[in-house]
Amino acid sequence: MLDVDGLRKTYSGRGREVEAVRDLTFRLGEGELACLVGPSGCGKTTLLKCVSGLMRPTAGTVALDGRPVTGPPPDMAVVFQEYGRSLFPWLTVRGNVELPLKEKRLPKARRRELVDGALEAVGLAHAGARHPWELSGGMQQRVAIARAIAYEPRVLLMDEPFAAVDAQTRADLEDLIRGLWKRFSMTVLFVTHDIDEAVYLGQRVIVLSASPTVVQDDVRVDLPDERDQLTTRSAPRFAELRAQVYREIQTAKNGGGPSGADGAGTGGAEADGAADPDDPEADKGTGGADGPERTPTTTGGPR
Amino acid sequence: MSAEADATATARKGAASALRVLGLPAVLIALWWWAAASSGSFFLTDPGTIAATFAEVWISERFLTDVLPSVGLLLTGYALAAVLGIGVGVPLGMSTRLRAAAEPVLEFLRAVPPPVLVPLLMLLVGLDTSMRAAVVVSGCVWPVLLNTVEGVRAVDPVLADTCRVYGIRGRRRLGVLVLRSASPQIAAGLRQALSIAIILMVISEMFASSSGLGYAVVQFQRSFAIPEMWSGIVLLGLLGVALSAVFARAERHALAWHRGLRAASRGE
């Protein structure tokens, strides 16, 4: 239902051209929950902005149900990383959740029903009359999630939504997202830099390379559908998948090409999770785990 | 017993805060009194005489002929300046191109001191109220305009993206995003404009009027009615204090979210 095809984005300024995203192609099926994970500075946010129609790609297309995305589509909602800046501080929690519904010209009774439902679903039924700045960071992000759900989107995009909340809140919010995804049967594209989070949440993990970004690998997460912070995270299969994604990212950081270039997009991941014998950089890569963040590569022109 | 003690404590607290508020004015008035009595100058009237004259002069038909028209002029000019400043400031803040085209002209116009427009406007508009209102507007509009431009420019890009994602545009975007996020700055501009408005009201009346507070003060001075002149000055001071108190109250109400947000981000 969501097709990203040959997406490319370059920024130009002061005579230089920075290629943030080189060539991205992937496809999300109806009702799928996919996580996008990649090294820092790999253009995840750029990608998400292009997918949501907030930014025009330099080349390539994004299509939702076959219709090209040229601006934010009406059935798509986005949850931003900066919860504190994506909520209107002059509106109450209710006001924030209700605002998009007013723009949709829904009748008052329906709006009330949707707002109540969404606030209840994120566990904030009691906080409707408060202002966002009276709430903790995790609660503010719940408000942003409630606003997205009340909008009744078919596609929900999330841009590192839990990067700025503490670990415990984060675990709660992850379970919340899994729950909401099942309950409201949306297609969810979840961008994160956290490998554990990606494997825990997704049915599928799309691994991005370092900038200029291409799809490094596409890993099918064959964990049971009912996930639990304790048992899922301690399952051997979780560790394997985690290790696989980790290795891919290390490879990506060190400039290795896509390991399964032919297999990308098919979701076919090797079950044994062993190092790719074709990739000599895979083992060396572990040393760079805390390496400096990659900045977008500067290119003098098309390479 | 304890209720009585509480009442005494409250009374003591009330007395203490009254002392804090009124202490310095009392000292200053006493000093003035002493200075007026010891100097013997004809032009330095003692506070008692000023107070008596104040009641005599202003609680009379002068209230209708001088005070009300002045306040009306002030508020009209101020309101026009606010509407004009915000109305022009919003499009300028939103469009880089408009801003680039208008900036040099605005900088020049802002640099012209408004009192110098009085003779010009006397010729152009005539000697009526609309001319005096024009003087007030010409001075008040700048802080409102420039602050509105800055406030609108500083709209948070994440909030702007949020509006785009949820299809919020047109008038609702203007009301819920642009004006609201610029409102703290707009309020700062309006506060500056208020004191400018009082100054220009008085100046325009001193130059070109046959009624109003500025005119009255000048008339009293020219006819050597010194206590009356002093009472006019006191009245203008009181008017300024009252207006800024009203303004502060309105701002407190409208920008409660802003104070809360700032307090919350300081606490973190």
Side-chain angles (χ1 to χ4, degrees), chain A residues 90, chain B residues 147 151 178-191 251 255 257-258 262:
Chain A
W90 41 88
Chain B
N147 276 286
V178 178
L179 286 177
R180 288 308 287 275
S181 46
S183 59
Q185 283 233 222
I186 295 177
L190 287 171
R191 199 181 314 114
E251 189 187 27
L255 295 182
W257 66 267
H258 189 238
R262 287 222 325 245

Side-chain angles (χ1 to χ4, degrees), chain A residues 163-179:
Chain A
V165 298
D166 63 83
Q168 267 171 34
T169 310
R170 189 174 190 147
D172 291 344
L173 288 172
E174 286 165 6
D175 289 333
L176 176 71
I177 289 299
R178 289 276 309 178

Side-chain angles (χ1 to χ4, degrees), chain A residues 169-225:
Chain A
T169 310
R170 189 174 190 147
D172 291 344
L173 288 172
E174 286 165 6
D175 289 333
L176 176 71
I177 289 299
R178 289 276 309 178
L180 293 173
W181 164 63
K182 279 185 207 157
R183 182 167 155 189
F184 294 96
S185 55
M186 305 169 284
T187 306
V188 180
L189 181 61
F190 189 102
V191 174
T192 177
H193 62 260
D194 183 328
I195 298 165
D196 287 50
E197 184 167 83
V199 173
Y200 180 75
L201 274 179
Q203 293 177 298
R204 200 176 138 196
V205 176
I206 300 168
V207 183
L208 301 180
S209 74
S211 184
T213 314
V214 296
V215 172
Q216 176 90 9
D217 197 7
D218 194 335
V219 180
R220 169 100 8 221
V221 178
D222 48 5
L223 292 169
D225 200 33

